[in-house]
Amino acid sequence: MLFAAKPLSTVHVGIIGLGRRGIRALRRLTSLSGVEVCAVSDYVQANVDDALSQLPDGGRGCLAVSGDRAWSEVCDAAGIDLIYICTGWENHAEISLYAMERGKHVAVEVPAAMSVNDCRKIVDTAERTCRHFFMLENCCFDPFALTTMRLADEGRLGDIIHAEGAYIHDISLCEVEPTARHSFRGWMVRAYIEHGGDPYPTHGLGPICLTMNMHRGDRMKSIVSLSATADPAGKSKLNTSIIRTHLGRTIVLSLDVTSPRPYSREMITCGTKGFTRKYPKECIMFAGDTEEEAYRLTDERKQQFRHPVSERWGSEAEKMTGDNEMNYVMDMRLVHCLREGLPMDIDVYDAAEWSAVTELSAISAQKGGVPVEMPDFTHGLWRTAAPHKFFL
């Protein structure tokens, strides 16, 4: 399961989707050594023009296309190693599958797909074409999440028995992209409300799954999901899902993007010897601590147990400007693994498992919270797979 491709001295990138996240990705990637952005595309020509203006020499020699099918031209182009997808959710799977069939590695924004069937297609295609499939789940590179992973890896939290994650974000406060085809506030709120489950589970789920070694000795077995309703039509305003693993551990996920609540991803990890939580106030607590001691010692413990990934790439990311640390670390790790020929931090099975919650939560919620079985995308290999590792 630890797939590694041939090392690339330079990673030639084609970026598809040049809205807010796509432009930020372009700025990050062009700041990294060993990377050349050689193709850009978007529905909107103005976004393409903006991207070109931010490339060296105004993007001279860069393939730049716009229109509804412009993405296929980028995937078809020779000399591109990695397709970096920052489009809307609805075509992540289509573009990813097309790109891998044309010999390209893929990095895609979350979620990777909106249906279990598309998740299966992505796994099958990545295995058959021997291409990397990396889901751009930046929250896995949050410094506090990485510290929690180190604490878990070193056994300092004991046996992890429960975790909680969330995406609580009043997106009515988000800025609107002036050239967006659809208003971020408009289509995203509409997508959340009409979905009926949790269409955006991976920010809360990703760090938990790496910490708990999902598909590496344990796996998500079933999900129960319930959505609160706020109108006679029964459309969802808030979703809560509970996942049970094969070993009997539990994961709680919460989604709320319309209430006036403070931003939170929860990031709670409960073990037999320790506990961590990021929101609303960071806490690292070990067995025997009082609450006062735990809060007082948390900053010291964050430094003491800083993850090697944060030590190496976080320090460099802190020097960057224009974006947050975890986005830079995510891209630096992606490029590092491609250039060194190493397995990815987030593999295709992670992407499929976490994204499958999108459809399965809706099925459970629409049936009143009945348990729904989670598929095994690893063909049974999860039982003997080695624990998660960041290859340095």
Side-chain angles (χ1 to χ4, degrees):
M1 294 177 65
L2 292 178
F3 170 68
K6 182 180 177 181
L8 300 168
S9 57
T10 300
V11 182
H12 300 92
V13 182
I15 301 178
I16 297 174
L18 299 167
R20 189 165 62 124
R21 286 202 62 81
I23 286 293
R24 288 164 63 186
L26 181 144
R27 292 169 184 157
R28 294 193 306 269
L29 290 168
T30 54
S31 73
L32 303 181
S33 60
V35 175
E36 181 182 345
V37 175
C38 48
V40 292
S41 76
D42 193 89
Y43 291 125
V44 180
Q45 182 61 43
N47 289 352
V48 175
D49 294 339
D50 183 23
L52 290 174
S53 72
Q54 300 187 47
L55 290 172
D57 297 324
R60 183 180 301 173
C62 177
L63 172 64
V65 286
S66 62
D68 287 353
R69 292 286 300 183
W71 58 265
S72 63
E73 295 184 51
V74 175
C75 294
D76 287 332
I80 296 176
D81 305 304
L82 174 70
I83 298 295
Y84 198 108
I85 303 168
C86 299
T87 63
W89 306 336
E90 70 280 356
N91 56 10
H92 282 181
E94 179 185 13
I95 298 173
S96 297
L97 293 167
Y98 190 93
M100 286 189 287
E101 292 289 4
R102 280 142 188 83
K104 311 298 196 292
H105 299 300
V106 168
V108 61
E109 280 288 354
V110 300
M114 300 301 289
S115 71
V116 172
N117 186 48
D118 278 343
C119 288
R120 292 190 187 280
K121 289 179 181 178
I122 286 169
V123 170
D124 292 345
T125 303
E127 290 177 335
R128 176 170 48 79
T129 60
C130 294
R131 296 295 87 187
H132 278 301
F133 186 90
F134 180 86
M135 188 167 64
L136 294 161
E137 184 40 82
N138 57 353
C139 296
C140 291
F141 302 90
D142 178 290
F144 193 87
L146 289 167
T147 291
T148 298
M149 291 177 209
R150 176 178 173 181
L151 290 168
D153 290 345
E154 294 182 359
R156 296 178 184 272
L157 301 180
D159 296 327
I160 308 299
I161 56 176
H162 175 79
E164 299 178 23
Y167 188 64
I168 297 169
H169 186 188
D170 183 359
I171 60 178
S172 68
L173 303 176
C174 294
E175 63 185 86
V176 176
E177 301 165 32
T179 58
R181 169 177 282 198
H182 305 293
S183 162
F184 175 78
R185 297 178 188 173
W187 77 261
M188 213 168 191
V189 169
R190 189 163 55 250
Y192 283 124
I193 291 174
E194 295 180 353
H195 180 267
D198 185 342
Y200 205 63
T202 70
H203 282 338
L205 187 59
I208 290 171
C209 287
L210 296 189
T211 300
M212 296 177 77
N213 281 307
M214 289 298 104
H215 86 244
R216 302 165 175 96
D218 194 8
R219 75 173 182 88
M220 296 183 286
K221 187 177 182 181
S222 63
I223 182 171
V224 169
S225 187
L226 288 169
S227 291
T229 58
D231 61 35
K235 294 182 178 180
S236 169
K237 297 292 282 187
L238 188 153
N239 178 266
T240 303
S241 299
I242 303 175
I243 297 168
R244 187 171 180 85
T245 77
H246 181 82
L247 297 181
R249 301 185 285 179
T250 50
I251 300 168
V252 174
L253 292 178
S254 301
L255 174 77
D256 182 7
V257 299
T258 57
S259 301
R261 299 168 65 181
Y263 179 92
S264 176
R265 300 197 307 275
E266 301 289 1
M267 289 179 63
I268 294 172
T269 306
C270 302
T272 55
K273 295 181 180 179
F275 164 91
T276 68
R277 181 186 64 202
K278 178 164 183 175
Y279 298 91
K281 183 178 180 180
E282 292 180 347
C283 181
I284 298 174
M285 186 172 187
F286 296 142
D289 286 348
T290 65
E291 289 186 33
E292 181 183 1
E293 287 171 335
Y295 282 114
R296 177 170 53 83
L297 294 170
T298 290
D299 284 345
E300 177 183 323
R301 288 169 174 171
K302 284 166 55 182
Q303 291 302 313
Q304 180 183 358
F305 297 105
R306 197 178 190 206
H307 197 281
V309 167
S310 294
E311 288 284 356
R312 180 169 175 182
W313 286 276
S315 298
E316 183 177 347
E318 289 170 1
K319 302 174 186 175
M320 304 291 188
T321 59
D323 213 334
N324 63 45
E325 176 182 333
M326 61 189 188
N327 282 331
Y328 273 113
V329 173
M330 174 184 70
D331 284 342
M332 287 189 281
R333 285 292 302 163
L334 168 63
V335 171
H336 174 75
C337 291
L338 287 172
R339 296 187 71 196
E340 298 295 326
L342 297 171
M344 289 288 158
D345 299 334
I346 298 170
D347 63 26
V348 67
Y349 307 105
D350 293 316
E353 290 160 356
W354 308 349
S355 299
V357 170
T358 297
E359 180 181 20
L360 298 178
S361 64
I363 292 172
S364 176
Q366 289 162 10
K367 293 182 178 180
V370 300
V372 176
E373 291 296 305
M374 300 282 293
D376 173 17
F377 294 98
T378 73
H379 324 293
L381 295 177
W382 66 270
R383 297 178 183 275
T384 56
H388 180 268
K389 178 180 178 180
F390 290 90
F391 289 84
L392 304 180

